[in-house]
Amino acid sequence: MSAAAKTARSRAAAAAENGGAKIEEGLNLFKSDKFDADVYVKSKCSLNEKEIRQLCSYLLDLKRASAEEMRKSVYANYAAFIRTSKEISDLEGELSSIRNLLSTQATLIHGLAEGVHIDSLKGSESFASKNDLLNLENKEPSDLEKWSVEFPDLLDVLLAERRIDEALTALDEGEHLAAEAKQTKTLDPAMLIYLENTIIDRRQKLADQLAEAACQPSTRGAELRAAISALKKLGDGPRAHSLLLNAHYQRYQYSMQSLRPSSTSYGGAYTAALSQLVFSAIAQAACDSLAIFGKETAYTSELVMWATRQTEAFAHLVKRHALASSAAAGGLRAAAECVQIALGHCSLLEARGLALCPVLIKLFRPSVEQALDANLKRIEESTAAMAAADDWVLTYPPMGTRQPSSMALQHRLTTSAHRFNLMVQDFFEDVGPLLSMQLGGKMLEGLFQVFNSYVSMLIKALPGSMEEEANFEGSGNKIVRMAENEAQQIALLANASLLADELLPRAAMKVSPLNQANYKDDPRRRHSDRQNRNPEQREWKRRLVISVDRLKDTFCRQHALDLIFTEDGDSHLNADMYLNMDGNVDELEWFPSLIFQELYAKLNRMASIAADMFVGRQRFATLLLMRLTETVILWLSEDQSFWDDIEEGPKPLGPLGLQQFYLDMKFVICFASQGHYLSRNLHRVVNEIISKAMAAFAATGMDPNSVLPEDDWFNDICQEAIDRLSGKPKAMNGDRELNSPTASVSAQSISSVRSHSSS
């Protein structure tokens, strides 16, 4: 139990490194030297059903993380393991040869010890002559001695007629009789030595004959397996296994001579034909190796090394004749098809215990990444070319344009955005077969960079933004057609927002493993991958939205500056418009200042345009109007020269100036509230500005609440201004004119305690 606990702790620690901080904290218990598995299990027995399910899910995650770490460790050290196994196998072969040599020497020494004269060993005639052996010691030879003399001829006949099985049987019988005669001493020592040397000599001849047969191109199938099996039975297993693998190699190399790829040939067809040849040969070699040699480590290791070398050679051929040209030209679909074909054939070997797909993935990855980058570059350049002539008018997709089946509603985009969306849809369909190469992160990052470059071009299409966007990465010196009017400029935002919020995230789901057939059949893998994948998808979408915010901020900043400043650089929003009011009482008419009237009119126009462009996405339009209003008010809040003049200027802020300023701010609050784009931030900033102005007025020694009318008076004027500016008919009021001096004085005479928070 203690050993099992330590093993669990070590695996959990390895998984924690990849699982993040949460799993790291959860493994502290298992890392402790005092961890007791029995006590831990008993402590969990009181859990309810939900907690038990959570625990099981947690342990399964640890198991998968541990298995992944084990897999990485095996791949990291597999080459060294195979190399060591091969060396051990070679040493075993050498030890076997040494044993045979020692056995021969021991036999010779034993014969000498029995009194055999050394002269009997000097010439082959002394023991090779049948008559001399039969007449030894002038006695009648036994049946065993006669058989021993005839045995070499029998073996020669069997070898000449290639009767392999009978020759093997005869050799086994000869070895058995020689061993028995040696033990019972029924053969003369000279005859015994003669018999043993004959067996050794004929065994070597048979082995050479089998090796020669195995190397012949005409030796195939059952005949090859029989020759290799016989060679293994002769005790030369390492040589037999090497010959088996070499025979399969020579055969598929001969078949490959008919494959002559050319620059005009179809890469997928060449890859399919080559895959069929190579992986069929590897599969047959694995099948023959298992049938003849079983699962002995030395032979399986040699098989894996050989199969890996063949796979590497295959990958180099595919890269040279199929992938290289596709990758250089950005032919992602052709490259993906070649990779998919190769991996499909290669994956069939997993049933035979050969996991060679990682080898292919490692070798194909640089070419695929090159094709990926070239394809993304083509999307960027093609979209830029369309943006140079885009009229920035939203239209539905052109007739005949292929649309994703999942897109029930066709969206309106400008010409360049339609091209961008179509190419992205094709891009994700092309990269679908490449998910096994774990390129999802690189695909999403590359597409984000292309989208970010497109947003930079949209920003350059805004008038007055050229200098600001010169520093944006990816904008380069691309020529972009200007969006001259508000409708065209809002269309830029419609392009970016629709792509970032809906079209691109929906297309990116195609690279999620959850959409692959082999994942749909395993609910546990689908649940785990959904948990792991969603954060990546959410982070990617968040980055897209941030990129769109760049365009939105530039749009709002440009329109705010157009409102505030004239073409000559003078400001429409300065302190003098409030400081000079107290000197013009006779001409006073209570109405919001001109710049805020223009702001309201602009927001009204944009709201009308956005209502048509952002169908079903009114929230984005509302946020846009909210951002534009905030930009203007924040500029006023942060304009230090404005507040220096209000607070410390030569002219103090008078009662009428304070009243007009208060009216302008209430007007902003009123139309923003009615338009549903009054944010908490805007309300807060407006209140701070009002408080700041009232504090400046109070510094003159006067009470601001004593000169400001009730809020109802301001609200009525704001509503009348909204009605007049929006073209609504003026409401009849028989009591009095709200804008008359009498109304003003009456309103001013009303004392009230004004709460800053309620303003």
Side-chain angles (χ1 to χ4, degrees):
M1 180 62 70
S2 176
K6 290 181 179 178
T7 303
R9 288 198 301 272
S10 63
R11 292 181 178 177
E17 293 178 0
N18 293 331
K22 292 184 178 180
I23 297 181
E24 177 67 27
E25 293 175 0
L27 291 179
N28 289 335
L29 175 64
F30 298 95
K31 293 179 179 179
S32 174
D33 293 334
K34 299 180 181 180
F35 173 72
D36 190 322
D38 292 332
V39 174
Y40 177 77
V41 173
K42 290 179 181 179
S43 67
K44 299 298 181 182
C45 292
S46 60
L47 300 177
N48 56 36
E49 181 180 356
K50 181 178 179 181
E51 292 173 335
I52 291 175
R53 288 181 178 175
Q54 292 177 348
L55 178 62
C56 291
S57 176
Y58 172 69
L59 292 176
L60 285 174
D61 290 340
L62 289 181
K63 179 181 177 182
R64 281 191 288 270
S66 177
E68 178 65 16
E69 182 64 23
M70 178 65 72
R71 184 185 69 80
K72 292 181 179 178
S73 178
V74 168
Y75 280 127
N77 300 283
Y78 197 69
F81 171 74
I82 295 299
R83 185 171 59 254
T84 304
S85 299
K86 177 65 175 176
E87 292 174 356
I88 292 174
S89 176
D90 294 340
L91 289 175
E92 288 177 349
E94 293 178 2
L95 289 174
S96 177
S97 300
I98 292 174
R99 279 196 298 269
N100 292 335
L101 181 60
L102 290 176
S103 176
T104 302
Q105 297 298 326
T107 302
L108 292 174
I109 294 173
H110 179 73
L112 291 173
E114 291 293 329
V116 178
H117 196 274
I118 192 67
D119 292 337
S120 63
L121 299 176
K122 289 183 179 179
S124 60
E125 300 85 6
S126 60
F127 61 88
S129 175
K130 301 177 185 179
N131 294 329
D132 291 344
L133 289 171
L134 290 176
N135 295 326
L136 190 62
E137 296 184 0
N138 296 320
K139 64 179 181 180
E140 185 68 22
S142 64
D143 293 339
L144 181 58
E145 291 175 339
K146 292 180 180 179
W147 179 87
S148 299
V149 172
E150 297 173 355
F151 182 63
D153 293 336
L154 173 63
L155 287 177
D156 289 339
V157 171
L158 294 177
L159 292 177
E161 296 179 357
R162 297 185 179 276
R163 295 154 61 182
I164 306 301
D165 292 337
E166 295 181 35
L168 287 173
T169 303
L171 286 172
D172 291 341
E173 181 182 1
E175 288 181 343
H176 175 71
L177 291 176
E180 183 178 352
K182 184 176 181 180
Q183 183 177 3
T184 59
K185 299 182 180 181
T186 54
L187 272 181
D188 185 83
M191 181 61 71
L192 180 60
I193 293 174
Y194 170 76
L195 178 60
E196 290 176 341
N197 288 333
T198 298
I199 292 174
I200 293 173
D201 179 63
R202 299 309 188 274
R203 180 182 291 276
Q204 186 61 45
K205 287 184 178 180
L206 178 57
D208 294 341
Q209 187 181 85
L210 292 172
E212 182 181 359
C215 294
Q216 296 298 322
S218 58
T219 306
R220 302 186 176 217
E223 186 179 356
L224 174 63
R225 288 190 292 273
I228 298 300
S229 179
L231 189 58
K232 177 178 178 292
K233 291 178 182 179
L234 289 174
D236 202 355
R239 182 187 183 191
H241 195 259
S242 298
L243 286 172
L244 173 66
L245 299 180
N246 185 66
H248 285 288
Y249 170 76
Q250 295 296 337
R251 281 165 183 71
Y252 90 74
Q253 285 290 318
Y254 178 78
S255 301
M256 280 174 54
Q257 294 178 3
S258 60
L259 291 178
R260 299 291 182 181
S262 64
S263 58
T264 59
S265 62
Y266 173 50
Y270 172 76
T271 304
L274 188 61
S275 299
Q276 180 69 28
L277 283 177
V278 174
F279 294 116
S280 294
I282 294 176
Q284 188 59 52
C287 182
D288 291 346
S289 176
L290 179 63
I292 298 173
F293 298 92
K295 296 183 179 180
E296 294 185 31
T297 304
Y299 301 125
T300 55
S301 297
E302 184 181 12
L303 173 64
V304 170
M305 288 189 65
W306 177 82
T308 301
R309 290 195 300 271
Q310 307 317 310
T311 304
E312 291 173 348
F314 161 80
H316 289 306
L317 286 175
V318 172
K319 287 173 62 177
R320 183 190 310 160
H321 298 298
L323 280 181
S325 57
S326 299
L332 186 59
R333 179 170 298 181
E337 184 178 0
C338 291
V339 172
Q340 185 180 24
I341 291 172
L343 291 177
H345 283 87
C346 185
S347 62
L348 298 177
L349 296 176
E350 293 180 1
R352 304 183 185 274
L354 293 173
L356 299 174
C357 287
V359 178
L360 283 182
I361 291 174
K362 179 181 178 181
L363 295 172
F364 284 158
R365 191 181 184 94
S367 296
V368 173
E369 289 181 345
Q370 182 184 2
L372 197 67
D373 294 338
N375 198 267
L376 291 170
K377 187 68 174 178
R378 187 169 70 242
I379 295 176
E380 180 179 353
E381 292 176 349
S382 178
T383 307
M386 296 296 293
D390 202 330
D391 57 5
W392 308 120
V393 176
L394 298 181
T395 61
Y396 288 106
M399 294 297 295
T401 302
R402 179 183 55 80
Q403 293 292 316
S405 58
S406 60
M407 192 178 296
L409 177 65
Q410 288 187 335
H411 297 282
R412 292 195 301 163
L413 297 167
T414 68
T415 306
S416 62
H418 277 305
R419 171 64 63 87
F420 183 86
N421 179 47
L422 181 61
M423 296 187 74
V424 168
Q425 299 292 336
D426 291 339
F427 171 79
F428 278 116
E429 288 186 5
D430 293 344
V431 301
L434 302 176
L435 286 180
S436 58
M437 301 187 72
Q438 299 179 352
L439 289 171
K442 182 175 179 62
M443 297 172 192
L444 294 180
E445 177 61 26
L447 185 60
F448 168 75
Q449 296 299 336
V450 174
F451 176 74
N452 199 45
S453 175
Y454 180 59
V455 170
S456 296
M457 287 189 290
L458 296 180
I459 293 176
K460 289 181 66 176
L462 291 172
S465 64
M466 296 298 291
E467 293 182 0
E468 298 178 18
E469 275 306 301
N471 296 324
F472 274 123
E473 181 180 357
S475 61
N477 297 319
K478 297 182 178 67
I479 299 175
V480 182
R481 185 172 180 176
M482 287 292 104
E484 301 293 345
N485 54 52
E486 291 177 350
Q488 291 177 327
Q489 294 165 18
I490 295 176
L492 303 178
L493 290 162
N495 283 343
S497 64
L498 183 58
L499 288 170
D501 292 339
E502 297 185 30
L503 300 181
L504 297 186
R506 184 183 302 156
M509 290 301 296
K510 296 177 183 178
V511 301
S512 172
L514 300 176
N515 291 332
Q516 303 303 304
N518 57 336
Y519 278 78
K520 294 180 180 179
D521 299 333
D522 193 338
R524 292 176 299 178
R525 293 179 69 183
R526 290 173 59 193
H527 175 71
S528 175
D529 286 324
R530 186 181 295 110
Q531 290 179 331
N532 296 333
R533 190 71 177 176
N534 283 343
E536 183 179 355
Q537 295 278 357
R538 287 196 298 268
E539 174 63 19
W540 184 69
K541 183 176 180 180
R542 186 186 69 82
R543 295 178 66 194
L544 294 178
V545 172
I546 291 175
S547 184
V548 176
D549 284 343
R550 288 200 298 115
L551 174 62
K552 188 189 300 182
D553 290 341
T554 305
F555 173 88
C556 294
R557 184 168 58 253
Q558 291 300 321
H559 281 273
L561 293 176
D562 289 342
L563 278 172
I564 296 171
F565 294 99
T566 65
E567 294 182 357
D568 298 330
D570 298 329
S571 176
H572 291 300
L573 184 57
N574 53 57
D576 292 338
M577 59 189 289
Y578 299 109
L579 297 176
N580 296 331
M581 287 191 65
D582 288 87
N584 301 317
V585 179
D586 296 337
E587 302 176 4
L588 182 63
E589 179 182 3
W590 292 112
F591 209 71
S593 299
L594 181 60
I595 184 173
F596 293 104
Q597 295 179 39
E598 293 178 354
L599 174 61
Y600 172 71
K602 180 181 285 288
L603 291 170
N604 255 5
R605 291 194 306 272
M606 289 186 177
S608 177
I609 296 171
D612 177 61
M613 293 187 178
F614 296 93
V615 177
R617 298 185 297 123
Q618 289 79 6
R619 175 173 171 77
F620 183 87
T622 300
L623 293 176
L624 175 63
L625 300 178
M626 186 184 301
R627 182 76 63 87
L628 177 56
T629 309
E630 289 178 353
T631 302
V632 175
I633 300 303
L634 284 172
W635 188 93
L636 174 61
S637 174
E638 297 170 359
D639 185 3
Q640 193 59 43
S641 63
F642 177 90
W643 291 108
D644 287 343
D645 292 340
I646 292 290
E647 296 171 345
E648 303 173 359
K651 283 186 178 181
L653 181 64
L656 298 180
L658 176 63
Q659 191 170 339
Q660 180 65 47
F661 185 84
Y662 193 92
L663 174 61
D664 290 340
M665 294 300 101
K666 292 293 290 185
F667 180 61
V668 172
I669 293 293
C670 187
F671 69 66
S673 177
Q674 292 186 16
H676 304 291
Y677 45 86
L678 176 61
S679 65
R680 285 192 293 269
N681 184 52
L682 176 61
H683 199 282
R684 177 185 60 80
V685 174
V686 169
N687 284 337
E688 290 177 355
I689 291 176
I690 292 175
S691 299
K692 201 171 181 180
M694 293 177 70
F697 181 80
T700 64
M702 300 178 65
D703 181 10
N705 290 317
S706 65
V707 301
L708 290 176
E710 291 287 347
D711 280 351
D712 289 342
W713 181 83
F714 289 105
N715 292 335
D716 291 341
I717 292 181
C718 291
Q719 186 59 51
E720 181 185 4
I722 290 175
D723 292 341
R724 287 173 58 182
L725 293 174
S726 60
K728 294 181 181 179
K730 182 177 179 180
M732 298 300 295
N733 190 336
D735 294 335
R736 66 171 178 263
E737 290 275 346
L738 289 176
N739 289 334
S740 67
T742 305
S744 303
V745 173
S746 175
Q748 291 180 42
S749 65
I750 300 174
S751 61
S752 62
V753 179
R754 197 174 305 273
S755 171
H756 293 271
S757 61
S758 64
S759 298

